[in-house]
Amino acid sequence: MVTVAGIGCRKGVSADAVIAAIRVAENAFGMAAECLASAPLKAGEAGLVEAAQSLSLPLKIIPQARLDAVASKTLTQSRASLDHSGSPSVSEAAALAAAGKNGRLVAPRLVAGNVTVAMATTDGALAENGCAIEEGEKE
């Protein structure tokens, strides 16, 4: 089983805040993240990138088309997220998309300060890129 933590965050969030939110989600859901995932608009977010490096976890930036493809499967519908990213829940959509076609959300996203974390699992194995899917793989 692979566990992916989808991350949504406010601009300028610190790595410490991202790490703290991931730890809260891991404790709440009783599982450890093996891969982090987020949306293209978060690709340059220094706190997110630094958090992934500090945790020694791969960070998968999910193409918008893949986020759009799983949007109907999110459990949370955030107007703010939809307005800013085009996704009803960046964290949930990113987790689902990174987990691959058999991915499922463990629960609705968890909000910790300026960070949202959603955990998704799949029965697949980790690919070379550290997530359940290979770069460019179709769902």
Side-chain angles (χ1 to χ4, degrees):
M1 181 170 76
V2 177
T3 303
V4 178
I7 308 293
C9 60
R10 295 263 172 107
K11 188 174 182 173
V13 71
S14 71
D16 288 341
V18 173
I19 292 168
I22 292 167
R23 296 300 186 224
V24 168
E26 289 175 329
N27 288 330
F29 303 131
M31 54 185 54
E34 298 170 78
C35 172
L36 305 182
S38 197
L41 72 131
K42 299 299 176 189
E45 197 61 56
L48 179 57
V49 173
E50 185 182 327
Q53 291 170 342
S54 293
L55 295 169
S56 298
L57 293 175
L59 173 60
K60 175 91 172 148
I61 300 302
I62 307 298
Q64 189 63 45
R66 290 189 86 138
L67 296 177
D68 294 344
V70 299
S72 65
K73 298 178 184 177
T74 63
L75 301 175
T76 305
Q77 303 289 317
S78 165
R79 188 71 190 149
S81 180
L82 200 53
D83 290 345
H84 291 292
S85 70
S87 175
S89 173
V90 166
S91 56
E92 291 179 10
L96 280 168
K101 67 179 179 179
N102 294 321
R104 66 171 184 80
L105 287 172
V106 173
R109 71 179 187 201
L110 181 141
V111 180
N114 290 327
V115 181
T116 61
V117 181
M119 303 289 260
T121 61
T122 185
D123 292 331
L126 283 175
E128 286 183 25
N129 67 3
C131 285
I133 56 172
E134 290 285 354
E135 190 67 41
E137 177 185 338
K138 299 284 185 199
E139 284 197 55

